Amino acid sequence: IFQLPPVALLNAFEFANPEAFASQAFVLVDIGHLSSTVIVGVKGELVLVRTLDYGGSHFGDQLILHGAASVEEVYAMLAEEEILTIENARLSLAELVHLISSSIGFFEARRDESVPRVYVSGGLAKLPAVLRVLTEELRLPCESWDPFYKCELGLSSERKSALPAQLPVLAVACGVASEILKGR
């Protein structure tokens, strides 16, 4: 089965971070609405793609079960760094953390390379608390990345100011666009 999102995500990362893509090991984690994808690569080579039936929808639902009234309230409590909500987020993310960790372990056991950081995209990548939990649990820096880093954007100032909040969810679209621009 051909899956477009992992290929597009890899293309977007190559387009936005050509130096990291070509010279080091990298882990891309895309946390979608219903599922998440983990991609491990090194020096331009795709090594591993794994998918987990866990996404932003599951994250929100699990935190609502622990007392939040809505997803918006979950996000607000995470922004306020409410301790119980952070710990519930840590529990909710445990299966995803395990998948990322085992993917990194698989890669590092077979290669003479180590993974310096994890690049996260998708809706949950917009939440600093989620990135912090992933960083703490994986013991690696986890950061949201900008798929349009190398682009000159012809947007109105209003749209340009709204764009940073949407960057984590645009990585797949950027990957498809980069291939179209290359003529592939």
Side-chain angles (χ1 to χ4, degrees):
I1 297 173
F2 180 74
Q3 294 181 346
L4 182 60
V7 173
L9 191 65
L10 188 68
N11 292 340
F13 185 73
E14 177 186 15
F15 178 76
N17 298 295
E19 299 83 19
F21 181 83
S23 66
Q24 66 186 28
F26 55 87
V27 174
L28 308 177
V29 176
D30 184 51
I31 307 171
H33 182 68
L34 296 176
S35 65
S36 296
T37 303
V38 176
I39 298 171
V40 181
V42 62
K43 297 178 182 164
E45 176 187 351
L46 177 63
V47 175
L48 177 70
V49 177
R50 296 176 76 186
T51 302
L52 175 67
D53 289 333
Y54 173 89
S57 171
H58 303 97
F59 178 82
D61 291 347
Q62 287 179 357
L63 270 65
I64 288 171
L65 288 174
H66 289 286
S70 66
V71 172
E72 291 78 19
E73 185 178 358
V74 166
Y75 292 168
M77 291 165 54
L78 287 170
E80 294 168 6
E81 298 187 16
E82 199 276 320
I83 294 170
L84 186 57
T85 304
I86 297 286
E87 290 311 308
N88 287 333
R90 188 178 312 278
L91 291 172
S92 178
L93 291 166
E95 189 176 356
L96 179 61
V97 166
H98 178 72
L99 179 70
I100 298 167
S101 181
S102 65
S103 298
I104 292 170
F106 173 84
F107 168 78
E108 291 181 343
R110 283 156 181 74
R111 299 283 185 127
D112 191 23
E113 300 272 347
S114 62
V115 174
R117 72 182 68 262
V118 176
Y119 298 91
V120 184
S121 61
L124 291 183
K126 295 189 274 183
L127 302 173
V130 168
L131 294 173
R132 192 174 66 252
V133 166
L134 291 173
T135 295
E136 291 167 0
E137 293 298 311
L138 293 168
R139 294 181 178 91
L140 280 173
C142 295
E143 62 187 46
S144 180
W145 58 283
D146 180 355
F148 297 102
Y149 173 71
K150 301 258 181 191
C151 295
E152 183 178 319
L153 302 174
L155 299 172
S156 67
S157 58
E158 180 182 313
R159 285 189 174 200
K160 200 175 272 189
S161 66
L163 186 62
Q166 299 306 316
L167 289 175
V169 298
L170 295 174
V172 170
C174 178
V176 171
S178 74
E179 288 303 294
I180 291 170
L181 292 174
K182 290 178 187 175
R184 291 189 210 176

